[in-house]
């Protein structure tokens, strides 16, 4: 996947100010930065639902939003996009038939996100964490080659978070590329690559280890702060 | 467009309704209760014979308008529409999926109200019952298509519900249900000519008058079907894969 000179305006204000980066196949890319820095807009541009002002986004060799990509890219929005008046299994059955996935595939993703006990439960009665996992399950349907997740681990307990990150790496080991946004820095260390964003710009694009080495800070939150002050010309 | 996806969408909408017994009860029960009410408020069988079928035409139109505009708005604000737009679902699959589900619902709604009206309330219909059902379904689809189109202009549920009186009540006032159109001021009559509900109600009037399928009936039904298609195309144009 590659992004060149991506610029997006929303409501007359620039939200992304010309981004350039590449993501190799099978990588887990962490998209980090404070709320409002443009993470969601970047994600929407990658899945092809965002109107862009300039630049290109190429996904699996095709322009973002290409009809061919609609079976190959899994997407979960920050707000869980599932039908609250259907059960978990009914939701997956519907999205599965839209994608042309088999019924067996719905059971597979339900198990992957750990919702087997809730499969017959109405989505509207699930807890917040279960709800976001139901939405995540939809993104995994049909065996996509790129999975784009906007804040998938919000509201999950540490054990579940660890399990999900385990799942993400398992998928990546099978050749799936993942782009995962988060605003919590402790998740950064679990990514292969980090894209640190601030106010619509990329502050850093590096592996966690390289970032630690460059800034001389072990803690990634400290490293992030160091980069901000470096850019603004003030002492860290 | 893809038949498998269209039918999956229809099944999904019907499943959602199956989980919502109260909505189904209201959809099917309210028109029937209103027909009973109308019959006993009027007390004159001849007038009931004239007004009853008109209302049978208006109910599915109004109800489907509300259900669709709120339903589509929920898809837009709940993020499911954006998700579907990243999947191999054509806009037409979604629209036809809705049309099929709500068309089926309209058949049940009108069949129940018409059966009770004719057997219990003594409604006399000159035209064939099958035509009554067909016109009612066409009206339901018209309401659905307009609701879908209107929902694109609503940002909140409050606005969507307000579109009902804004889009629907002027048509109900001008369609000839309360005052025959020939007796209206010329300006109002001219306006009524371009409103689709006028033809929907006029078709029902034809069915109360004669047992034959007249040219007027055929024209009315074509106009309703044409307006439905136009509203669906306009509605499809408001479903965007890319949004600002």
């Amino acid at each position: 996947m590659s992004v060149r000179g991506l610029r997006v305006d929303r409501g007359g204000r620039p939200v992304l100010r010309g981004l350039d980066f590449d993501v190799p196949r099978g990588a887990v890319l962490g998209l980090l930065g404070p709320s409002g820095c443009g993470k969601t807009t970047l994600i929407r541009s990658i899945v092809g639902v965002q109107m862009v002002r300039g630049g290109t986004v190429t996904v699996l060799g095709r322009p973002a939003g290409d009809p061919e990509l609609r079976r190959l890219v899994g997407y979960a929005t920050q707000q869980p996009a599932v039908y609250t008046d259907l059960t978990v299994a009914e939701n997956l059955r519907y999205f599965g038939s839209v994608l042309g996935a088999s019924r067996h595939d719905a059971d597979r993703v339900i198990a992957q996100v750990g919702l087997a006990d809730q499969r017959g439960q109405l989505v509207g009665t699930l807890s917040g964490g279960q709800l976001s996992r139901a939405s995540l399950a939809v993104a995994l349907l049909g065996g996509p080659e790129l999975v784009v997740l906007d804040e998938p681990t919000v509201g999950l307990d540490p054990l579940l978070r660890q399990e999900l990150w385990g799942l993400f790496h398992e998928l990546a080991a099978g050749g799936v590329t993942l782009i995962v946004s988060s605003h919590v820095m402790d998740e950064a260390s679990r990514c292969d690559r980090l894209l640190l964003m601030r106010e619509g710009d990329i502050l850093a694009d590096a592996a966690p280890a390289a970032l630690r080495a460059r800034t001389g800070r072990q803690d990634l939150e400290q490293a992030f702060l160091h980069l901000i002050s470096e850019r603004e010309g003030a002492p860290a | 467009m893809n038949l498998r996806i269209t039918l999956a969408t229809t099944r999904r909408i019907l499943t959602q309704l199956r989980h919502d017994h109260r909505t189904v009860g209201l959809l099917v029960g309210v028109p029937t209760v209103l027909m009973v009410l109308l019959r006993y408020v009027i007390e004159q069988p001849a007038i009931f014979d004239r007004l009853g079928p008109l209302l049978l035409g208006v109910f599915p139109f109004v109800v489907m308008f509300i259900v669709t505009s709120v339903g589509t708005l929920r898809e837009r604000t709940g993020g499911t529409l954006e998700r579907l737009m990243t999947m191999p679902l054509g806009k037409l699959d979604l629209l036809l999926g809705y049309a099929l589900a709500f068309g089926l619902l309209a058949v049940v709604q009108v069949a129940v109200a018409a059966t009770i009206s004719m057997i219990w309330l003594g409604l006399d219909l000159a035209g064939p019952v099958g035509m009554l059902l067909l016109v009612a379904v066409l009206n339901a689809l018209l309401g659905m298509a307009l609701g879908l189109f209107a929902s694109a202009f609503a940002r909140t549920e409050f606005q969507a519900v307000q579109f009902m009186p804004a889009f629907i009540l002027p048509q109900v006032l001008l369609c000839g249900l309360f005052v025959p159109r020939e007796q209206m001021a010329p300006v109002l009559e001219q306006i009524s000519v371009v409103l689709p509900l006028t033809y929907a109600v006029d078709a029902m009037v034809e069915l109360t008058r004669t047992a034959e399928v007249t040219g007027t009936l055929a024209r009315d039904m074509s106009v309703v079907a044409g307006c439905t298609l136009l509203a669906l195309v306009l509605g499809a144009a408001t479903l965007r894969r890319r949004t600002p």
Side-chain angles (χ1 to χ4, degrees), chain A residues 90-102:
Chain A
E90 284 163 353
N91 263 290
L92 288 162
R93 195 170 115 189
Y94 173 55
F95 287 113
S97 21
V98 170
L99 288 164
S102 70

Side-chain angles (χ1 to χ4, degrees), chain A residues 167-224:
Chain A
L167 170 65
F168 297 161
H169 282 286
E170 208 176 287
L171 290 167
V176 178
T177 311
L178 285 103
I179 299 177
V180 182
S181 83
S182 175
H183 66 274
V184 283
M185 285 294 158
D186 69 342
E187 300 200 316
S189 57
R190 305 179 200 244
C191 303
D192 303 331
R193 280 267 305 284
L194 293 177
L195 210 61
L196 295 185
M197 291 181 65
R198 192 160 186 265
E199 290 169 1
D201 270 322
I202 296 176
L203 265 187
D205 174 9
L211 207 63
R212 289 194 183 100
R214 203 177 108 197
T215 58
R217 302 285 197 280
Q218 267 313 297
D219 183 49
L220 284 168
E221 176 127 21
Q222 289 298 322
F224 189 33

Side-chain angles (χ1 to χ4, degrees), chain A:
Chain A
M1 210 203 83
S2 80
V3 172
R4 289 287 167 269
L6 178 64
R7 281 180 306 136
V8 176
D9 290 357
R10 290 187 87 174
R13 278 184 41 250
V15 179
L16 299 181
R17 307 159 187 266
L19 306 187
D20 292 281
F21 64 93
D22 295 278
V23 189
R25 232 171 235 259
V28 181
L29 176 78
L31 210 56
L32 285 111
S35 177
C37 71
K39 295 190 299 279
T40 298
T41 305
L42 173 57
I43 279 182
R44 283 171 42 86
S45 309
I46 294 169
V47 297
V49 295
Q50 175 69 51
M51 283 180 190
V52 303
R53 223 187 94 207
T56 58
V57 181
T58 311
V59 178
L60 305 165
R62 293 173 185 278
D66 189 277
E68 289 290 314
L69 291 176
R70 289 183 195 141
R71 270 170 225 287
L72 303 176
V73 178
Y75 169 44
T77 47
Q78 199 167 344
Q79 168 201 22
V82 277
Y83 297 100
T84 51
D85 45 3
L86 292 180
T87 66
V88 173
E90 284 163 353
N91 263 290
L92 288 162
R93 195 170 115 189
Y94 173 55
F95 287 113
S97 21
V98 170
L99 288 164
S102 70
R103 274 195 138 182
H104 171 77
D105 205 49
D107 294 331
R108 177 185 65 89
V109 294
I110 288 175
Q112 269 184 331
V113 300
L115 281 179
D117 292 340
Q118 285 81 26
R119 70 191 312 282
Q121 200 175 323
L122 278 182
V123 166
T125 66
L126 296 176
S127 71
Q130 291 169 336
L131 188 60
S132 71
R133 275 184 286 151
S135 184
L136 168 66
V138 178
L140 302 178
L141 273 171
E145 290 180 30
L146 172 69
V147 175
V148 186
L149 308 171
D150 200 357
E151 310 245 357
T153 57
V154 171
L156 297 185
D157 71 57
L159 184 68
L160 264 170
R161 253 185 14 201
Q162 194 176 356
E163 277 176 25
L164 282 186
W165 277 98
L167 170 65
F168 297 161
H169 282 286
E170 208 176 287
L171 290 167
V176 178
T177 311
L178 285 103
I179 299 177
V180 182
S181 83
S182 175
H183 66 274
V184 283
M185 285 294 158
D186 69 342
E187 300 200 316
S189 57
R190 305 179 200 244
C191 303
D192 303 331
R193 280 267 305 284
L194 293 177
L195 210 61
L196 295 185
M197 291 181 65
R198 192 160 186 265
E199 290 169 1
D201 270 322
I202 296 176
L203 265 187
D205 174 9
L211 207 63
R212 289 194 183 100
R214 203 177 108 197
T215 58
R217 302 285 197 280
Q218 267 313 297
D219 183 49
L220 284 168
E221 176 127 21
Q222 289 298 322
F224 189 33
L225 286 171
H226 181 88
L227 286 169
I228 293 172
S229 52
E230 195 179 74
R231 173 160 298 197
E232 285 169 1

Side-chain angles (χ1 to χ4, degrees), chain A residues 10 44 47-52 64-65 70-71 73 75-77 79-83 85-87 90 93-95 97-100 122 135 138-139, chain B residues 2 4-5 8-12 15-20 74-75 77-89 94 98 240-244:
Chain A
R10 290 187 87 174
R44 283 171 42 86
V47 297
V49 295
Q50 175 69 51
M51 283 180 190
V52 303
R70 289 183 195 141
R71 270 170 225 287
V73 178
Y75 169 44
T77 47
Q79 168 201 22
V82 277
Y83 297 100
D85 45 3
L86 292 180
T87 66
E90 284 163 353
R93 195 170 115 189
Y94 173 55
F95 287 113
S97 21
V98 170
L99 288 164
L122 278 182
S135 184
V138 178
Chain B
N2 177 315
R4 187 197 74 233
I5 297 178
T9 304
T10 301
R11 196 179 56 198
R12 185 262 294 174
T15 312
Q16 283 179 295
L17 285 169
R18 212 186 62 220
H19 286 297
D20 188 356
R74 266 170 60 191
E75 295 242 27
T77 55
T80 47
L81 183 67
E82 179 168 305
R83 170 162 254 165
L84 288 172
M85 289 290 112
T86 67
M87 291 185 173
L89 166 130
L94 188 68
Y98 266 98
R240 295 276 168 78
R241 287 212 190 254
R242 280 183 192 271
T243 48

